[in-house]
């Protein structure tokens, strides 16, 4: 369902800029916008897609013609916009209804700058999942739930490599973000939430030892990965996991969308999951959010759209199609897949919701670029100490 032709060129209504085209993202947006139009038929709504979303938003802000709203990562990804005072204050939307009391602290933290809300989270993807093949885990004699730390997991992968003919864990490294995601998850699981937050809050140098240790563990994972790891893409690895090539696979919950679509890969019977070792009761998050410009032509219409995006109906529509969970805790998920229902329960009972480094919520954009560069160096040199220096420099950069 495309609305590009209905986009207004000034005047009343809402213009939405996004990059959710095709697949589950496009279906999720269509469901959200259809629900909004039914709820608010009086509001003119137009959406425009752009693959280079951030660049387009910045360009239009500089031209003093920003979109009314756009869908983007919240958290520190928005710091440059906040520094430039170009984000709308949407605190009234949060406080005028029941939104604020139905969001957990993690999504609220990702939406606030200096006490003011600047974003409305739409969805949550969990980063710290460890998927496993049920039959293979039984065959190699491992209970995934009993592995209590990332280092213990490294020991288990080495045992599987030494004593069996199976691959312990597929580890795609073609793109540096997949390796960075493993590193941040290992850091969280081995050294805890406080250290993780300390590093992301610009005190990385004080935690260099933890950074080194997490890199060393990731290096150990790589040593028992497949020979083609450096050339393996995420989608290829996920397909190979479905085909039974490895016991374990670490990835965000979006990977499970492919599992659910396979008639030969049944949840609980053929595949299952546990939190990545050491991250029990933590829900490491990636998310999308609706952002508003500081100056819009129709503030009332924009507020209606933001409120709907943060409503139970809007979030049910969006997340059921997206394969994610609602950041609100009061959304009826009874029609979601069993896997997503369990993810929602884990989210609601989590003691903390760390903001993802890899997906730009826990770090500023310039820091993320430097971190990906450091990881690219890591997979080519495996020099733990040198790359630790690069990571410290990236985090501590202002």
């Amino acid at each position: 369902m495309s609305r590009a032709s209905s986009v207004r060129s000034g005047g009343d209504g809402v213009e939405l800029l996004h990059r959710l085209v095709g697949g589950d993202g496009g279906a999720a947006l269509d469901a959200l916008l259809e629900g909004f139009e039914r709820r608010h038929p009086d509001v003119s709504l137009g959406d425009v897609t752009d693959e280079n979303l951030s660049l387009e938003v910045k360009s239009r802000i500089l031209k003093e013609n920003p979109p009314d709203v756009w869908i983007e990562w919240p958290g520190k990804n928005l710091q440059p916009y906040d520094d430039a005072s170009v984000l709308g204050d949407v605190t009234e939307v949060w406080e005028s209804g029941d939104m604020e009391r139905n969001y957990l602290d993690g999504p609220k933290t990702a939406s606030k700058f200096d006490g003011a809300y600047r974003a409305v989270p739409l969805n949550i993807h969990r980063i710290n999942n460890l998927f496993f093949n049920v039959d293979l885990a039984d065959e190699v004699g491992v209970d995934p739930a009993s592995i209590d730390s990332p280092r213990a997991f490294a020991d288990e992968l080495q045992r599987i490599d030494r004593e069996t003919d199976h691959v312990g864990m597929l580890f795609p490294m073609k793109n540096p973000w997949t390796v960075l995601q493993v590193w941040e998850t290992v850091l969280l699981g081995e050294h805890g939430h406080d250290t993780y937050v300390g590093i992301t809050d610009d005190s990385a140098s004080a935690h260099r030892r933890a950074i080194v240790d997490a890199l060393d563990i990731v290096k150990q994972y790589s040593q028992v990965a497949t020979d083609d790891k450096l050339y393996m893409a995420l989608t290829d690895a996920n397909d190979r996991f479905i085909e039974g090539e490895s016991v374990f696979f670490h990835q965000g919950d979006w990977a499970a969308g492919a599992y659910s679509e396979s008639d030969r890969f049944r949840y609980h019977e053929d595949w299952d999951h546990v939190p990545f070792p050491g991250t029990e009761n933590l829900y490491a998050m990636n998310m999308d959010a609706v952002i508003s410009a500081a100056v819009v032509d129709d503030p009332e219409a924009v507020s209606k759209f933001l409120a709907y995006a943060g409503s139970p109906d809007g979030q049910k529509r969006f997340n059921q199609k997206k394969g994610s969970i609602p950041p609100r805790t009061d959304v009826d998920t009874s029609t979601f897949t069993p896997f997503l229902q369990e993810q929602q329960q884990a989210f609601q009972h989590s003691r903390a919701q760390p903001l993802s480094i890899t997906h730009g919520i826990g770090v500023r954009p310039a820091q993320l670029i430097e971190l990906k560069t450091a990881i690219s160096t890591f997979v080519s040199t495996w020099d733990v100490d040198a790359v630790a220096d690069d990571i410290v420099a990236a985090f501590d950069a202002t």
Side-chain angles (χ1 to χ4, degrees), residues 150 181-191 214 217-218 221 276:
Q181 182 175 268
V182 172
W183 175 80
E184 74 164 289
T185 308
V186 167
L187 177 70
L188 182 65
E190 192 71 18
H191 293 279
I217 294 171
V218 174
Y221 295 167
F276 197 86

Side-chain angles (χ1 to χ4, degrees), residues 1-4 6 14-18 20 25-41 43 45-49 69 71 122 290 305 308-309 313-314 317-318:
M1 178 166 55
S2 172
R3 296 171 182 74
S6 68
V14 181
E15 180 193 14
L16 167 67
L17 189 62
H18 64 91
L20 296 172
L29 184 70
D30 284 348
L32 176 74
L33 299 189
E34 180 181 357
F36 176 75
E37 290 178 339
R38 289 182 177 180
R39 184 72 57 87
H40 297 287
V43 178
L45 174 67
D47 71 292
V48 178
T49 62
V69 293
I71 296 175
L122 269 174
V290 182
F305 183 74
Y308 182 74
D313 184 64
R317 287 172 170 272
F318 186 88

Side-chain angles (χ1 to χ4, degrees), residues 189-222:
E190 192 71 18
H191 293 279
H193 184 246
D194 290 345
T195 296
Y196 183 93
V197 172
I199 289 171
T200 57
D201 283 352
D202 301 327
S203 60
S205 57
H207 299 286
R208 186 181 184 279
R209 183 175 297 179
I211 290 170
V212 167
D213 189 47
L215 286 170
D216 179 66
I217 294 171
V218 174
K219 182 177 180 179
Q220 291 184 45
Y221 295 167
S222 76

Side-chain angles (χ1 to χ4, degrees), residues 230-251:
L230 292 175
Y231 310 101
M232 189 190 306
L234 168 60
T235 52
D236 293 336
N238 210 32
D239 289 343
R240 288 163 63 171
F241 175 67
I242 293 172
E243 293 301 318
E245 189 170 328
S246 71
V247 181
F248 293 103
F249 189 54
H250 162 63
Q251 197 47 242

Side-chain angles (χ1 to χ4, degrees), residues 54-310:
S54 296
L55 182 61
E56 178 66 13
V57 170
K58 291 173 185 176
S59 175
R60 289 188 54 176
I61 288 173
L62 290 172
K63 293 176 182 177
E64 298 184 354
N65 181 35
D68 294 318
V69 293
W70 64 96
I71 296 175
E72 180 64 283
W73 296 337
K76 292 184 180 180
N77 179 60
L78 296 180
Q79 189 70 59
Y81 297 100
D82 187 65
D83 291 343
S85 301
V86 296
L87 297 179
D89 184 346
V90 299
T91 303
E92 185 176 350
V93 172
W94 279 81
E95 295 180 346
S96 61
D98 61 355
M99 275 177 55
E100 191 167 38
R101 70 171 178 266
N102 285 300
Y103 275 73
L104 295 184
D105 288 342
K108 287 194 283 190
T109 297
S111 305
K112 269 186 175 180
F113 292 88
D114 298 323
Y117 286 104
R118 304 291 185 182
V120 176
L122 269 174
N123 67 329
I124 299 238
H125 282 293
R126 190 179 198 179
I127 303 303
N128 56 317
N129 302 286
L130 183 62
F131 299 106
F132 63 92
N133 183 300
V134 174
D135 288 338
L136 290 184
D138 183 64
E139 186 175 335
V140 301
V142 60
D143 174 10
S146 69
I147 306 172
D148 60 5
S149 73
R151 190 167 291 280
F153 185 46
D155 293 340
E156 190 59 41
L157 293 178
Q158 290 165 357
R159 183 193 69 80
I160 292 171
D161 182 68
R162 185 175 60 251
E163 298 179 1
T164 78
D165 294 328
H166 294 294
V167 175
M169 182 176 72
L170 287 164
F171 194 172
M173 300 182 185
K174 186 174 182 179
N175 190 305
W177 76 262
T178 57
V179 185
L180 182 61
Q181 182 175 268
V182 172
W183 175 80
E184 74 164 289
T185 308
V186 167
L187 177 70
L188 182 65
E190 192 71 18
H191 293 279
H193 184 246
D194 290 345
T195 296
Y196 183 93
V197 172
I199 289 171
T200 57
D201 283 352
D202 301 327
S203 60
S205 57
H207 299 286
R208 186 181 184 279
R209 183 175 297 179
I211 290 170
V212 167
D213 189 47
L215 286 170
D216 179 66
I217 294 171
V218 174
K219 182 177 180 179
Q220 291 184 45
Y221 295 167
S222 76
Q223 291 170 339
V224 290
T226 55
D227 292 339
D228 61 348
K229 56 185 177 289
L230 292 175
Y231 310 101
M232 189 190 306
L234 168 60
T235 52
D236 293 336
N238 210 32
D239 289 343
R240 288 163 63 171
F241 175 67
I242 293 172
E243 293 301 318
E245 189 170 328
S246 71
V247 181
F248 293 103
F249 189 54
H250 162 63
Q251 197 47 242
D253 57 18
W254 49 82
Y259 311 158
S260 299
E261 292 173 359
S262 173
D263 294 334
R264 298 177 293 105
F265 208 47
R266 296 158 297 182
Y267 187 39
H268 292 317
E269 296 181 43
D270 300 308
W271 69 275
D272 213 323
H273 70 102
V274 292
F276 197 86
T279 67
E280 297 79 8
N281 300 316
L282 297 173
Y283 207 97
M285 300 184 307
N286 179 26
M287 71 181 83
D288 296 302
V290 182
I291 319 299
S292 170
V295 178
V296 297
D297 292 325
D298 191 342
E300 183 179 356
V302 169
S303 291
K304 287 180 179 179
F305 183 74
L306 291 168
Y308 182 74

Side-chain angles (χ1 to χ4, degrees), residues 58 73 77 176-177 180 357-360 363-377 390-391 394-395:
K58 291 173 185 176
W73 296 337
N77 179 60
W177 76 262
L180 182 61
I357 292 168
T358 303
H359 301 279
V363 294
R364 298 186 293 277
Q367 291 175 312
L368 182 56
I369 292 172
E370 293 302 317
L371 288 168
K372 288 181 179 179
T373 300
I375 292 298
S376 295
T377 300
D390 293 340
I391 289 176
F395 276 114

